[in-house]
Amino acid sequence: VQLQASGGGWVQPGGSLRLSCVASGRTDSANSMGWFRQAPGKEREFVAAYRWRGNVMTADSVKGRFTVSRDNAKNTLYLQMNNLKPEDTAVYYCAASRSTLIVSQARREEVYDYWGQGTQVTVSS
């Protein structure tokens, strides 16, 4: 499975962006999918996950502002980001697991088998 993330860019605080992650290849191996991010000087952290059939979860830091969704017909995972803050600045990565992840697993990057290349999101005035 290959993952291609896009949609990053520069936005002012309070603005919105929508990230996309297109899966190609053996897409039937991409069950649960997730978004992670890594800010400069920090470790990569969980942002959101689409576990299966509409079961989604988001990190507390983005809850109410970010929404994860998936279009299986297009093999695409989305991350709608609203009311962006400077602390959301990071490289955002999409990931996919061959397994259907339970809640306790979906936050852990080591359970994901495939990773995209990352897309930069910068929030500043």
Side-chain angles (χ1 to χ4, degrees):
V1 177
Q2 293 79 47
L3 302 175
Q4 180 72 41
S6 63
W10 173 83
V11 64
Q12 292 184 332
S16 298
L17 284 174
R18 187 176 80 157
L19 304 184
S20 300
C21 175
V22 179
S24 60
R26 289 291 304 273
T27 56
D28 57 339
S29 294
N31 286 304
S32 296
M33 297 184 72
W35 289 99
F36 289 76
R37 68 185 181 186
Q38 187 167 23
K42 295 187 177 181
E43 295 185 351
R44 190 155 57 183
E45 64 176 3
F46 168 78
V47 177
Y50 187 103
R51 295 193 299 117
W52 72 296
R53 292 187 181 181
N55 284 272
V56 300
M57 53 190 290
T58 53
D60 290 343
S61 59
V62 305
K63 199 176 297 290
R65 300 187 297 121
F66 290 13
T67 303
V68 61
S69 62
R70 181 171 180 172
D71 186 334
N72 288 324
K74 296 182 179 180
N75 294 317
T76 302
L77 181 74
Y78 300 100
L79 184 67
Q80 177 66 44
M81 307 186 294
N82 298 327
N83 190 22
L84 282 159
K85 303 176 180 181
E87 52 264 41
D88 296 318
T89 295
V91 177
Y92 283 70
Y93 298 90
C94 63
S97 171
R98 289 190 293 266
S99 303
T100 300
L101 302 176
I102 60 176
V103 170
S104 61
Q105 294 174 314
R107 299 176 184 273
R108 295 163 45 201
E109 60 179 277
E110 63 267 25
V111 304
Y112 290 86
D113 303 293
Y114 311 102
W115 289 84
Q117 84 291 357
T119 184
Q120 176 71 47
V121 172
T122 302
V123 185
S124 71
S125 54

